[in-house]
Amino acid sequence: MYRRSEPEEQGLRLETRYRRLRSGGGSLLDLVPTTDEEEATVLEERRTSSRAVDLPPSPPVLQPRPATVGEWLPRLQLLGEIGVDDVILWLRDGVRWIVIAVVLCVAAALAYALTASPRYTVYTDIVVDPSNLNVVSDDVFTSNPQRDAQLLEVESKLRVLTSRNVLARVIDKLQLTKDAEFVRPSPLDFLKDLFLSDADQDADKHLAVMRALTERVEARREERSFVVVMKVWSEEPEKAVVLSDAIVDAFETELFQSAAESAGRVAQNLNARLDELRRNVTAAEKKVEDFRRSSGLQSSNGELVSNQLSSELNTQVLAAQQGFIQAETRYKQMRLAIAQKQTASASVFESANMTSLRQQYNALQQQVGSMRLTYGDRHPRLVSARSEQTTLEAAMNEEARRILERAKADFDREQAALDALRNKARAEKSNVFTDNEAQVELRDLERDARAKAAIYETHLARAQQVAERQQIDATNVRVISRAMPPNSRTWPPRTVILLIAGGILGLFVGVAAALTLGAWKYVRGPRPAAG
């Protein structure tokens, strides 16, 4: 018949007592074996040893079996059966660890409260408008109306607020490299004095102050607005306010200097371009004048002299032609009057002598008529009058021929003048055609010169405008809330709060340590035997 071995029975008894303890029907003392049980155990060992003599010997073990997790932690599988009584027992056993943890954490909190450097934080609200002030109509910098672009502009300026350039200005202005709050003494300072030069030491101090100041400054943008909140802390409340104001001033200066430097680069590039444009304009204008001189083009009041001269010659030709026609007509009328012997009555012969002769001839003709009626045709006085009349006719004819010769001379002169003017007009007309052809090329050169001059004048005006723009601060940054000295420190908290927090932390640490130690002892306990 099968009989349980002693370890198995002992394990079953322990397991039965443990279950009874879990169900609330027993106590922890039930787990301790009684005297009867010990005697029964001893008798059972003797019987087992006596039976073991008759059993055949076991085969030898060829190699040692490696230890398993169950041998190291025999009660690991019973972790799920841990109850409240076990936890209470573990906490009761670990009270000293809980007290030690609480005392240590409270002492550490008190030491930190007494030795920690205080922090006083101030806040500054700044409105960073992405659209700069519209100082001039066509500014160097253009504003983008899109909201995403405006937010990017604000974020960029927010990054400038905490940039190294701004912080470097603050360090130089406030001389923070000489401030003990930012430059902590180090035991290795004497070694630095031995191996580093003054310039290297200053650079190291500046870098250390830069790092310290970077950790003390923080800026963020409020949601759905262009307001930037800058937070600065220091070990002294007044110094925190001074740092905040200095950073704001350095930020505005950096923005203005950045805009001025950008405008300066634009002006420098424009000035460099102006020299070339000036040379181009000078060369174009010189080319125009050289071409005008080589082509013999002269202008007056915006019109070529050849055109004006040709126009005047045409006017003179017309006037000479009219004079020639008049002289020709008068000459022909005189010749016809002389041929028809009408010199005495023709009005074309006009002169003072002719007028006097006509008056005498008319008066003598009246006398001759009267005498003919009175004395008859043979009267001596009538004969004498007729002889005088013939003399007057001969004189008028002579005067008419003299007037005719003068008219002929006028006619010849008018004809010669007309021919000369016509020849000159024809010659000037050819010059006009030549000048007009040259004028086409001249206009092309003038257009090129005017275009280059316009570009040069535009760049010149723009360069002067940009140069003046360097002196104008158009950044639209306003401080709406200046930093105020804080009433209390922001870190560390008050000593009472630190002590309470240290006590709570110590309590948690102690409880965790007690529970961990109890669980470890539990899983390391003896392994129950199988029934």
Side-chain angles (χ1 to χ4, degrees):
M1 182 177 65
Y2 172 75
R3 296 177 60 88
R4 292 188 179 94
S5 62
E6 187 273 332
E8 292 179 350
E9 291 179 355
Q10 185 179 2
L12 288 175
R13 287 195 297 269
L14 291 175
E15 184 176 358
T16 302
R17 293 170 185 172
Y18 181 76
R19 289 177 179 174
R20 187 165 59 250
L21 178 62
R22 289 287 303 273
S23 62
S27 63
L28 296 175
L29 297 177
D30 295 337
L31 298 176
V32 181
T34 60
T35 306
D36 296 337
E37 291 176 350
E38 292 178 354
E39 292 177 356
T41 301
V42 172
L43 292 175
E44 186 66 25
E45 289 178 355
R46 291 176 180 177
R47 287 196 298 268
T48 303
S49 60
S50 62
R51 288 196 302 269
V53 175
D54 299 334
L55 294 174
S58 59
V61 179
L62 298 178
Q63 56 183 3
R65 183 173 55 88
T68 62
V69 178
E71 294 179 355
W72 287 100
L73 303 174
R75 306 189 66 183
L76 183 63
Q77 68 274 12
L78 299 179
L79 284 177
E81 299 179 0
I82 297 176
V84 179
D85 294 336
D86 297 331
V87 174
I88 294 175
L89 180 61
W90 296 346
L91 292 178
R92 188 184 303 168
D93 295 339
V95 169
R96 63 180 181 275
W97 298 111
I98 296 175
V99 174
I100 292 173
V102 170
V103 172
L104 290 178
C105 289
V106 171
L110 180 61
Y112 182 77
L114 296 177
T115 59
S117 299
R119 294 185 182 182
Y120 295 90
T121 305
V122 295
Y123 298 89
T124 304
D125 296 337
I126 308 171
V127 175
V128 181
D129 197 337
S131 301
N132 293 329
L133 300 176
N134 192 10
V135 180
V136 293
S137 58
D138 51 347
D139 201 353
V140 180
F141 310 100
T142 59
S143 59
N144 196 327
Q146 296 182 0
R147 182 167 181 81
D148 294 340
Q150 292 178 347
L151 292 178
L152 291 177
E153 181 69 20
V154 175
E155 293 292 339
S156 300
K157 291 182 179 180
L158 175 62
R159 183 64 185 87
V160 174
L161 179 60
T162 58
S163 63
R164 294 181 180 178
N165 290 344
V166 174
L167 299 183
R169 292 178 183 273
V170 176
I171 293 173
D172 296 337
K173 179 180 179 180
L174 301 181
Q175 296 182 356
L176 298 182
T177 54
K178 301 179 181 179
D179 195 336
E181 180 181 346
F182 294 90
V183 182
R184 301 291 184 181
S186 175
L188 301 179
D189 289 341
F190 71 94
L191 294 178
K192 293 181 180 180
D193 295 338
L194 294 177
F195 296 102
L196 296 180
S197 61
D198 295 338
D200 294 336
Q201 293 181 13
D202 293 340
D204 291 341
K205 289 182 180 180
H206 192 277
L207 182 59
V209 173
M210 178 68 70
R211 292 173 179 172
L213 187 59
T214 303
E215 295 176 356
R216 297 166 185 248
V217 179
E218 181 182 352
R220 59 180 178 84
R221 181 180 63 85
E222 295 291 338
E223 293 293 335
R224 304 180 65 84
S225 68
F226 296 145
V227 177
V228 173
V229 179
M230 183 182 66
K231 180 175 70 173
V232 181
W233 67 268
S234 178
E235 297 179 2
E236 300 176 5
E238 293 79 9
K239 186 180 293 186
V241 175
V242 172
L243 285 175
S244 179
D245 294 340
I247 291 174
V248 172
D249 295 339
F251 172 58
E252 294 177 348
T253 304
E254 180 67 20
L255 290 180
F256 169 68
Q257 184 173 356
S258 176
E261 289 178 356
S262 300
R265 288 193 298 270
V266 174
Q268 184 177 1
N269 294 332
L270 287 175
N271 290 328
R273 180 63 177 162
L274 282 176
D275 295 335
E276 183 179 357
L277 292 176
R278 186 183 299 109
R279 291 193 297 268
N280 293 338
V281 172
T282 303
E285 292 179 349
K286 186 176 183 300
K287 187 181 295 184
V288 169
E289 295 300 327
D290 292 342
F291 181 80
R292 182 180 285 116
R293 187 181 301 107
S294 62
S295 301
L297 298 177
Q298 297 180 0
S299 60
S300 176
N301 297 326
E303 187 179 1
L304 289 176
V305 175
S306 59
N307 291 335
Q308 295 179 358
L309 183 58
S310 177
S311 178
E312 292 177 359
L313 287 175
N314 291 332
T315 303
Q316 293 178 4
V317 167
L318 292 176
Q321 190 172 4
Q322 291 178 357
F324 172 74
I325 293 173
Q326 293 176 358
E328 184 181 13
T329 302
R330 184 165 173 266
Y331 175 68
K332 290 181 178 179
Q333 289 177 354
M334 289 181 180
R335 289 183 59 185
L336 181 60
I338 292 175
Q340 295 178 357
K341 297 182 180 181
Q342 294 178 356
T343 56
S345 61
S347 60
V348 70
F349 299 102
E350 293 294 336
S351 67
N353 192 16
M354 180 61 75
T355 302
S356 177
L357 291 175
R358 284 178 178 174
Q359 291 176 356
Q360 296 177 10
Y361 180 78
N362 291 330
L364 183 59
Q365 191 174 8
Q366 290 177 359
Q367 292 178 5
V368 169
S370 297
M371 289 181 183
R372 183 183 296 170
L373 294 175
T374 304
Y375 301 109
D377 294 335
R378 296 183 178 273
H379 194 275
R381 295 184 62 184
L382 183 60
V383 174
S384 176
R386 286 179 176 173
S387 176
E388 187 177 354
Q389 185 178 4
T390 303
T391 304
L392 288 175
E393 290 178 354
M396 285 190 295
N397 291 332
E398 185 65 25
E399 183 64 23
R401 283 193 297 272
R402 188 169 55 254
I403 294 175
L404 178 63
E405 291 176 357
R406 189 166 58 249
K408 180 64 170 61
D410 294 338
F411 170 71
D412 294 338
R413 186 176 61 254
E414 292 292 337
Q415 186 176 7
L418 179 61
D419 294 338
L421 289 175
R422 283 177 175 174
N423 294 331
K424 186 179 292 187
R426 282 193 294 269
E428 193 62 32
K429 186 180 294 184
S430 63
N431 293 333
V432 169
F433 292 152
T434 304
D435 292 346
N436 289 336
E437 292 177 357
Q439 185 76 3
V440 173
E441 185 175 356
L442 179 63
R443 291 194 188 99
D444 187 26
L445 296 175
E446 289 177 346
R447 280 192 297 268
D448 182 65
R450 284 195 301 269
K452 292 180 179 179
I455 295 175
Y456 169 70
E457 292 174 357
T458 302
H459 281 69
L460 180 60
R462 188 60 174 167
Q464 294 177 353
Q465 184 180 12
V466 172
E468 293 297 328
R469 172 65 176 79
Q470 291 181 259
Q471 311 300 324
I472 302 174
D473 186 6
T475 56
N476 196 3
V477 175
R478 293 180 293 111
V479 179
I480 58 176
S481 295
R482 286 283 180 182
M484 300 291 293
N487 295 326
S488 61
R489 65 189 184 187
T490 56
W491 187 264
R494 289 184 296 178
T495 306
V496 176
I497 298 176
L498 281 177
L499 294 179
I500 294 174
I504 294 174
L505 179 60
L507 181 61
F508 278 109
V509 172
V511 170
L515 294 177
T516 302
L517 183 61
W520 175 256
K521 290 181 178 180
Y522 178 78
V523 298
R524 289 286 294 173
R527 180 178 180 181

